[in-house]
Amino acid sequence: MGWEMYTNSVLSIRKFGFGFLTSTTWDPFSQVFGALPMIYGTLISSLLSLIIAIPLGLGVAVFLSELAPAWLEKPLSFLTELLAGIPSVIYGLWGIFVLVPWLRDTVEPFLQNKFPNSPFFQGAPYGFGMLAAAIILSIMVLPIISSISRDVLKSVPNSQREAAYALGATKWEVTKIVLSYAKSGLLGAIILGLGRAIGETMAVTMVIGNRPQISASLLDPGYTMASVLANEFTEAASDLYLSSLIELALVLFIITIIINIFARLLVWSTERKWKLSPM
Amino acid sequence: MEIKSNVKNFSFYRRKTSNIIMLTFSLLAALVTLIPLIFIFYYTISKGITYLNLNFFTKLPTPVGESGGGMVNAIVGTLILIAIGGGIGIPVGIFTGTYLSEFGHNKFGSIVRFLTDVLSGIPSIVVGVVAYTLVVVPMKHFSALAGGVALAILMIPTITRTTEEMIKLVPQSYREAGLALGIPKWKTTLLIVLKTAWKGIATGILLGLSRAAGETAPLLFTALDNRFWSTNVFQPIASLTVYIYQYASAPYKDWNDQAWTAALVLIILISLLSLIFRIITRSKYKTTN
């Protein structure tokens, strides 16, 4: 697959070289293609979504594995998995008609009033933009983080908990010990979530506003690699345009592969650690 | 003495409060997670129900401005796309999974296993680009076949992994019994091992199919879209997900409303698949008990 994309993007790789990754101009009319705004948009929207999703996801995982009574755990796990099963285009639909108007009319004016000088909340409150994309992404990443971390937490041996309780620890202190025991597995769960966020296309395309620019403001529209592909692939009229888009797909492919391999290795290494020291 | 016990008291209360705060946060997180789920279902059902009538399932889409019309071509298109994807993805997935669990305990096997894991993490839009270069470019036009290939690539990891896990559950004694009767290994695998694990594998297949049914990104520039009735696999074809995307982004209220209905129909379709999935898993437990 990688090879297939490489051969199809040779044209733009030859023309732009490494400049493709650092140039900020994306102008189909004058045939100049630089991917930096999209790479920026992809990374920022994903990282923002993780900032929202990590505490919530870990909170859910802790609740499911440490606190919830057995009768509550099953249906709740089922519901979070249901959240993962909703097609992304339906998230996008919901984003356009429910989330975006709410952000535009309520949240964004409020943020601007509260922090009039903050560089993060400048510009007209369109609703469409980074903030909307980050929120939608965090909803989509949440079930991944919470279900994998729940499994990781559940595989922490009970003797760890019992030892902590025996020392008179409170429930939260026990949980802290469990969390630190499962650290690398949890990190793996988060990185898998990041991989999902980076590759997510439809929902983001529908709410991010689709404008290739780099702006510190969260209210401004942005663009991600995946949404450029979704929007412009069928419109690519020239060979150079098309091959630039395919090169963009190649960049996205390489980033997600690196992230995934890293996450798998982390999850594997924790599992192996427990297998070597059975308790 | 006095000071010491005060310090102890202070740290005791601090521990107690942080305990309560963090546990409450965890509970709140669980509740907050459920809110979007409820919202999405509420909106999809309440907004989608208005256009959910017989026309939606029997008529073709109407031009802008004309009311009425349905999406029968998109429903059929989605089914055709899933069928093509399944037709390619199911056999490949099952054979890879069988290979991995029966013969794959070597270096090559673990490389394949690792690559399947990596494949499952690749963004669906990238898979779409690959299907475009593999099928659309040589054929020189968009087609349902290209969309099916993209969906197949997306299904393969799921089906492969479930097949492998399910076949691993088949007791070793079954294989030994088959071999003891002088049945060749390939026949044992095919007729005994696969047959025993079949129900589990079927759930994996349905899981893969329902994932594929909800995919949009890889279809945008492979299957494209078609506003007319078409069942020709070499021509562009409509699908529910692409319609939702187009209708939701369009500035016409009529279309926006129909997008909700399409979303509802899609969710019903996927729930039907997972209902079948659940019935099959249940009957599996019955037979083993």
Side-chain angles (χ1 to χ4, degrees):
Chain A
M1 278 170 70
W3 174 248
E4 188 70 26
M5 279 189 281
Y6 174 76
T7 52
N8 278 286
S9 59
V10 167
L11 196 61
S12 82
I13 292 176
R14 285 222 186 101
K15 174 122 196 240
F16 299 117
F18 272 109
F20 186 75
L21 301 178
T22 52
S23 156
T24 55
T25 330
W26 180 271
D27 187 354
F29 295 106
S30 41
Q31 299 282 311
V32 180
F33 300 100
L36 194 62
M38 292 77 177
I39 297 174
Y40 169 86
T42 301
L43 292 181
I44 295 299
S45 61
S46 311
L47 291 178
L48 281 174
S49 73
L50 283 187
I51 292 175
I52 307 173
I54 288 173
L56 285 177
L58 291 185
V60 174
V62 166
F63 182 75
L64 287 177
S65 82
E66 309 291 317
L67 302 178
W71 59 267
L72 197 62
E73 193 205 320
K74 269 255 168 73
L76 218 55
S77 309
F78 172 71
L79 285 177
T80 34
E81 268 149 39
L82 205 62
L83 205 55
I86 298 177
S88 66
V89 72
I90 293 181
Y91 280 105
L93 185 68
W94 181 76
I96 288 183
F97 294 112
V98 183
L99 183 66
V100 165
W102 180 62
L103 286 177
R104 185 181 57 220
D105 300 335
T106 317
V107 177
E108 293 186 352
F110 169 77
L111 286 173
Q112 285 189 324
N113 284 338
K114 268 275 187 247
F115 311 99
N117 297 319
S118 161
F120 298 122
F121 305 118
Q122 294 301 316
Y126 293 117
F128 292 96
M130 262 319 168
L131 188 63
I135 293 175
I136 282 276
L137 274 179
S138 64
I139 298 174
M140 304 180 68
V141 169
L142 234 171
I144 298 178
I145 295 184
S146 63
S147 66
I148 299 177
S149 344
R150 183 201 62 206
D151 293 344
V152 171
L153 290 182
K154 285 207 136 179
S155 62
V156 172
N158 252 335
S159 54
Q160 293 283 329
R161 298 188 181 93
E162 283 154 11
Y165 278 128
L167 291 171
T170 62
K171 193 132 199 172
W172 165 239
E173 284 162 339
V174 173
T175 311
K176 268 201 286 195
I177 289 165
V178 172
L179 284 175
S180 80
Y181 193 88
K183 236 181 326 195
S184 52
L186 295 178
L187 192 62
I190 289 167
I191 296 175
L192 282 178
L194 178 67
R196 169 90 197 256
I198 283 182
E200 180 45 51
T201 315
M202 298 321 296
V204 175
T205 310
M206 289 161 92
V207 299
I208 200 169
N210 300 326
R211 192 192 292 165
Q213 63 177 13
I214 296 180
S215 162
S217 172
L218 298 181
L219 310 188
D220 272 343
Y223 222 158
T224 68
M225 291 189 266
S227 36
V228 181
L229 290 172
N231 273 329
E232 300 184 7
F233 208 88
T234 46
E235 296 165 3
S238 70
D239 287 348
L240 186 63
Y241 194 178
L242 194 61
S243 91
S244 302
L245 285 172
I246 296 177
E247 188 182 349
L248 206 57
L250 184 65
V251 173
L252 184 60
F253 174 74
I254 292 170
I255 293 177
T256 44
I257 280 199
I258 292 171
I259 288 175
N260 269 293
I261 290 178
F262 188 59
R264 298 272 169 206
L265 289 179
L266 268 178
V267 174
W268 274 5
S269 70
T270 22
E271 277 172 4
R272 199 165 303 147
K273 188 178 84 190
W274 292 333
K275 265 180 204 151
L276 284 179
S277 54
M279 302 216 202
Chain B
M1 265 326 247
E2 191 90 305
I3 297 164
K4 221 178 180 182
S5 80
N6 269 344
V7 169
K8 198 182 162 198
N9 258 340
F10 172 70
S11 101
F12 175 71
Y13 282 118
R14 197 177 50 88
R15 287 174 60 201
K16 268 230 131 147
T17 19
S18 74
N19 184 36
I20 291 169
I21 289 172
M22 293 316 288
L23 296 186
T24 323
F25 168 75
S26 160
L27 176 69
L28 280 180
L31 292 178
V32 167
T33 309
L34 294 181
I35 292 174
L37 183 72
I38 296 163
F39 262 129
I40 289 173
F41 270 99
Y42 169 74
Y43 277 100
T44 313
I45 293 170
S46 70
K47 290 205 171 190
I49 209 111
T50 45
Y51 270 86
L52 193 68
N53 48 31
L54 202 59
N55 279 347
F56 194 85
F57 295 99
T58 52
K59 292 224 167 103
L60 290 175
T62 51
V64 180
E66 232 172 273
S67 62
M71 289 193 183
V72 62
N73 58 338
I75 298 170
V76 173
T78 295
L79 293 176
I80 289 177
L81 284 169
I82 301 175
I84 299 173
I88 305 168
I90 293 171
V92 174
I94 290 182
F95 279 118
T96 318
T98 315
Y99 173 80
L100 285 180
S101 96
E102 296 296 289
F103 313 100
H105 302 289
N106 49 27
K107 197 119 202 190
F108 181 68
S110 47
I111 291 173
V112 172
R113 202 168 291 128
F114 188 69
L115 287 180
T116 323
D117 271 356
V118 171
L119 188 63
S120 70
I122 291 174
S124 55
I125 188 128
V126 174
V127 172
V129 171
V130 173
Y132 175 87
T133 59
L134 281 178
V135 186
V136 178
V137 172
M139 282 174 67
K140 300 222 164 49
H141 58 83
F142 301 101
S143 64
L145 189 65
V149 169
L151 295 185
I153 297 176
L154 287 167
M155 266 179 226
I156 288 171
T158 320
I159 298 178
T160 303
R161 287 321 293 253
T162 23
T163 307
E164 191 194 349
E165 297 302 321
M166 289 304 148
I167 289 184
K168 266 191 202 154
L169 294 179
V170 176
Q172 196 60 33
S173 55
Y174 283 34
R175 297 185 185 93
E176 283 158 7
L179 293 174
L181 289 171
I183 304 172
K185 179 141 192 191
W186 68 270
K187 253 186 170 170
T188 317
T189 309
L190 206 64
L191 297 179
I192 299 174
V193 178
L194 272 181
K195 206 169 178 189
T196 319
W198 176 242
K199 276 178 180 159
I201 296 172
T203 63
I205 292 172
L206 281 169
L207 200 66
L209 288 179
S210 59
R211 286 260 165 82
E215 282 294 349
T216 319
L219 298 179
L220 287 173
F221 38 81
T222 50
L224 205 68
D225 168 33
N226 194 339
R227 298 198 58 80
F228 305 102
W229 175 259
S230 168
T231 51
N232 185 346
V233 295
F234 297 109
Q235 290 301 320
I237 202 165
S239 60
L240 277 174
T241 46
V242 174
Y243 265 2
I244 296 174
Y245 172 57
Q246 288 178 346
Y247 275 43
S249 320
Y252 317 113
K253 191 173 175 303
D254 225 29
W255 281 27
N256 295 346
D257 291 343
Q258 286 199 336
W260 284 106
T261 312
L264 182 59
V265 171
L266 184 64
I267 285 188
I268 293 172
L269 195 74
I270 292 175
S271 323
L272 278 181
L273 279 177
S274 64
L275 193 71
I276 302 170
F277 163 94
R278 247 152 228 287
I279 290 169
I280 289 175
T281 31
R282 190 172 305 150
S283 60
K284 186 185 86 184
Y285 288 124
K286 261 183 204 154
T287 48
T288 45
N289 284 344

